[in-house]
Amino acid sequence: MSKQKIKWVAMIAIFLVACGVMPGLAASVSPGKLYLVSTGPGDPKYLTLQAIEVIQKADLVLSHPESAKKLAKYLQGKKVEDPWKDLWMHQGKIWMKDLHTYKPEERPAVIAEKSRQRDEYVKNLKVMLAQGKNIVLLDGGDPTVYSRGFWLLEGLSDDQFEIVPGVGAMTASFAALKRASTGAGARFVAQTTPYAFFGKQDRDDLARDLSRYPGTLVFYMGISELGNLVETLKKYNPPDLPIGVVYYAGYPEKEKVVKGTLSDIMAKLADEKERWLGMIVVGRCLSGPHFVLSE
């Protein structure tokens, strides 16, 4: 082969490599990224522009079927997979939420098996990321507050995923209440759940200690424990302390606000059937004044 032909072959090879036609000779593929994306508290209108942009470039979307249905117009042509069907369920139960219902001797085995399944699932996601694929994990509300997404992301390093923030249930709740969580001289705003609020060694520790300071308490996943919460708070707070419940925060057709005090809220909620989708807010911020200015 003449020098001229060798030169032309070399130039063609370089061109094909640059165009990616010869992948065996091409440079390594840039890794993809997993995005944990907030879809808002209910209505698709709370989806942010950033969330839409990230979804559009996704090679795989991980979503509960209900969320995927609500966001169908943004997911057209996308591969959508439900990661929770097997990872979240065990013997017909949402195992992490219902772990206390298993016998004590059964719990370690349940945790070990679900963790093994999760690790295997994440291993497959990491293969996709190494191939340059982008993955979107959809999560309702604020994904940095009580998000099951972080349990799924264990095993990924910080540089392998990003969080796309959005409107959370707390924000939607205060919008429905038309109040500011920091109003009426509140010195703190605490976000918690009944299972974290009630101590194991001293059940009333937070209720007793926090009652010493003016603040705002926000409870997630607390409707089923509302009676216990109210009775405990009544021990250490005045009966006229305002309390509000926002059902289906962020769902325009279903959203409902019920306000009262520690002394009468249970009577006002006696006919309510919902036992899950509701946020509980306790504090003077509900009655105002909105802000107390220092002299």
Side-chain angles (χ1 to χ4, degrees):
M1 183 181 294
S2 66
K3 291 183 177 180
Q4 185 66 24
K5 287 184 176 180
I6 293 174
K7 180 179 180 181
W8 276 107
V9 169
M11 291 178 64
I12 292 172
I14 293 172
F15 175 80
L16 292 176
V17 168
C19 294
V21 178
M22 298 175 64
L25 299 176
S28 59
V29 177
S30 298
K33 189 157 289 190
L34 190 150
Y35 297 87
L36 177 56
V37 176
S38 165
T39 62
D43 195 291
K45 68 183 179 183
Y46 291 114
L47 204 62
T48 66
L49 293 176
Q50 184 187 13
I52 295 172
E53 291 175 0
V54 168
I55 291 172
Q56 287 175 341
K57 68 179 183 180
D59 297 292
L60 171 65
V61 177
L62 305 179
S63 173
H64 187 279
E66 185 176 321
S67 296
K69 183 178 180 180
K70 288 191 299 183
L71 302 176
K73 76 173 185 176
Y74 300 108
L75 302 180
Q76 293 180 7
K78 298 292 182 183
K79 181 181 179 182
V80 181
E81 182 177 297
D82 178 11
W84 306 115
K85 183 177 179 181
D86 295 321
L87 295 180
W88 211 239
M89 303 301 294
H90 182 76
Q91 297 177 348
K93 299 178 181 179
I94 301 176
W95 71 270
M96 192 174 287
K97 178 174 73 70
D98 298 324
L99 189 61
H100 68 281
T101 65
Y102 294 94
K103 296 178 180 178
E105 62 271 20
E106 296 176 337
R107 296 171 193 171
V110 173
I111 295 173
E113 175 58 19
K114 301 315 290 187
S115 296
R116 184 197 66 77
Q117 293 176 3
R118 184 271 316 278
D119 292 345
E120 190 66 27
Y121 193 88
V122 172
K123 184 189 298 184
N124 293 330
L125 297 181
K126 292 173 76 171
V127 170
M128 290 190 62
L129 296 178
Q131 295 171 345
K133 305 294 185 181
N134 290 313
I135 305 169
V136 166
L137 172 58
L138 300 180
D139 200 358
D142 184 343
T144 65
V145 180
Y146 297 113
S147 172
R148 59 186 175 179
F150 279 91
W151 177 79
L152 179 58
L153 297 185
E154 288 184 15
L156 294 182
S157 59
D158 285 356
D159 62 347
Q160 290 179 304
F161 73 92
E162 290 184 12
I163 299 173
V164 178
V167 178
M170 174 177 155
T171 303
S173 295
F174 277 98
L177 289 162
K178 300 183 179 180
R179 293 292 184 270
S181 61
T182 53
R187 292 182 59 189
F188 66 87
V189 179
Q191 300 182 68
T192 185
T193 65
Y195 68 78
F197 187 70
F198 293 131
K200 293 183 178 180
Q201 306 302 323
D202 180 353
R203 188 175 184 277
D204 291 4
D205 54 358
L206 282 182
R208 180 177 57 249
D209 295 344
L210 293 179
S211 67
R212 298 169 52 199
Y213 311 99
T216 302
L217 298 175
V218 181
F219 293 93
Y220 293 75
M221 301 172 283
I223 298 298
S224 61
E225 288 284 338
L226 183 58
N228 289 331
L229 281 171
V230 170
E231 288 305 311
T232 301
L233 292 172
K234 284 167 66 174
K235 296 179 186 178
Y236 308 103
N237 296 276
D240 68 343
L241 184 65
I243 179 172
V245 177
V246 182
Y247 293 98
Y248 289 92
Y251 292 76
E253 296 84 11
K254 296 182 178 181
E255 189 175 83
K256 180 178 180 179
V257 175
V258 180
K259 294 181 181 180
T261 64
L262 292 180
S263 63
D264 63 14
I265 190 65
M266 295 308 297
K268 290 185 176 183
L269 298 176
D271 296 330
E272 297 294 336
K273 300 296 189 295
E274 178 60 41
R275 290 291 180 268
W276 181 248
L277 281 179
M279 295 284 289
I280 303 166
V281 178
V282 183
R284 296 290 176 192
C285 67
L286 295 179
S287 59
H290 292 182
F291 293 97
V292 176
L293 302 179
S294 58
E295 296 182 1

